[in-house]
Amino acid sequence: SSNEVPVIGTLMQVTDYFEQEDGRLTLIVQGVGRIKILAASQQVPYAVASEVRILSDVECWEPYYFSSSSSLAGGVVASISEASTDDEDDDDDDFDLSGASMDAAKAVAAKESELLRDLEYYQTIVERHVTSDGTVMISGVSPLSNVNGSVYVDFEEFEGQLQGALSRCLSRRAEECGRDDVLLASTTFRLSDSRALRASTEEEVIAEERNVWIKLDEMIHLLGRAQSGTRIQVPAQLLGLLPMDDTK
């Protein structure tokens, strides 16, 4: 009904604020990610969420899904077939391997987003200036950036935490279904053996970056054709990602 409160929304992070003379606040916020509200601690005078789940984008969890489902399928499906042959009345052969792999992939993607948050979200702040009469005014907002180069990431620890998220999710699903073969697979499968965490070479990164800029250029030209006579403005956050050295 129209009175139902939406449970899907965007988690926002307040990065700066500006208090105006009349007491009102101007807030600068940056989106962290899509979330689903699981529980609320209060409803009035306004709702406050007490438990949320990060909903990762498809492109974030899909590589992990394909890696985990294809790697787990061999041993688990073979075990399911063997169990079906030994006991045709066994009801355990309807285990949803695809669903379990998808849940695990989303858990890994959510953990990845959490671990990389400091790296990917550079704080945006209000730029202020003082007028001749001493009034503090907003002159603008600092340029948006999706990467904070000062953050150090220990990728060995990073990989270990992703592996832990995947193993915990698969183990939980296996225990719920009473499947020892799935439980074994969850403890032996390693993300490091899949293409999802394969380290890219410098040449591959450069080639992929070049392809991204070519696609962006094509998109801007197509938008220009669709809106004849209109100059397409390129977002400043995209221009800020261009290489500083124009010889590269």
Side-chain angles (χ1 to χ4, degrees):
S1 69
S2 59
N3 294 326
E4 292 182 353
V5 177
V7 295
I8 304 296
T10 302
L11 179 64
M12 308 295 290
Q13 175 177 298
V14 178
T15 60
D16 201 3
Y17 71 94
F18 177 78
E19 185 173 1
Q20 303 181 35
E21 291 185 347
D22 59 5
R24 291 181 299 167
L25 293 176
T26 297
L27 301 179
I28 303 298
V29 297
Q30 290 176 264
V32 175
R34 292 175 63 244
I35 58 170
K36 180 178 182 179
I37 299 174
L38 303 179
S41 59
Q42 71 174 47
Q43 300 293 340
V44 291
Y46 50 83
V48 175
S50 59
E51 183 180 357
V52 301
R53 175 187 300 155
I54 297 291
L55 301 177
S56 301
D57 294 329
V58 174
E59 58 267 26
C60 295
W61 59 259
E62 195 174 52
Y64 295 118
Y65 168 70
F66 287 129
S67 296
S68 60
S69 59
S70 61
S71 298
L72 293 174
V76 174
V77 170
S79 176
I80 291 174
S81 300
E82 183 179 346
S84 300
T85 301
D86 293 341
D87 185 0
E88 294 183 357
D89 296 328
D90 191 354
D91 293 330
D92 287 340
D93 59 358
D94 59 353
F95 177 75
D96 184 7
L97 178 61
S98 177
S101 297
M102 184 174 294
D103 287 348
K106 290 180 178 180
V108 172
K111 173 60 71 173
E112 182 179 49
S113 176
E114 174 190 333
L115 295 174
L116 295 179
R117 187 164 300 155
D118 290 339
L119 175 68
E120 294 184 337
Y121 292 92
Y122 192 76
Q123 184 175 3
T124 301
I125 61 174
V126 173
E127 296 175 347
R128 304 166 172 82
H129 74 278
V130 181
T131 62
S132 57
D133 62 358
T135 303
V136 180
M137 302 289 291
I138 296 178
S139 58
V141 178
S142 63
L144 296 177
S145 175
N146 289 330
V147 177
N148 183 356
S150 64
V151 173
Y152 170 73
V153 178
D154 185 334
F155 282 99
E156 288 189 5
E157 180 182 353
F158 175 82
E159 182 182 317
Q161 294 208 39
L162 294 188
Q163 179 67 48
L166 179 135
S167 297
R168 285 192 298 273
C169 185
L170 285 177
S171 298
R172 183 172 64 252
R173 289 291 298 269
E175 291 173 355
E176 291 172 355
C177 298
R179 293 298 302 268
D180 292 338
D181 55 342
V182 179
L183 183 61
L184 176 62
S186 70
T187 59
T188 57
F189 172 64
R190 290 290 176 265
L191 279 173
S192 57
D193 297 331
S194 70
R195 292 183 57 85
L197 281 184
R198 184 180 66 83
S200 300
T201 65
E202 182 178 355
E203 291 75 14
E204 289 174 329
V205 172
I206 293 175
E208 186 62 30
E209 182 177 351
R210 180 176 181 275
N211 289 333
V212 168
W213 285 112
I214 290 175
K215 293 297 183 182
L216 286 173
D217 185 63
E218 292 176 353
M219 180 186 69
I220 293 170
H221 280 290
L222 289 173
L223 290 173
R225 292 180 184 176
Q227 304 179 41
S228 180
T230 301
R231 183 178 180 183
I232 305 300
Q233 298 291 331
V234 180
Q237 54 265 46
L238 288 181
L239 295 177
L241 296 175
L242 283 168
M244 297 297 292
D245 186 352
D246 60 4
T247 63
K248 296 182 179 180

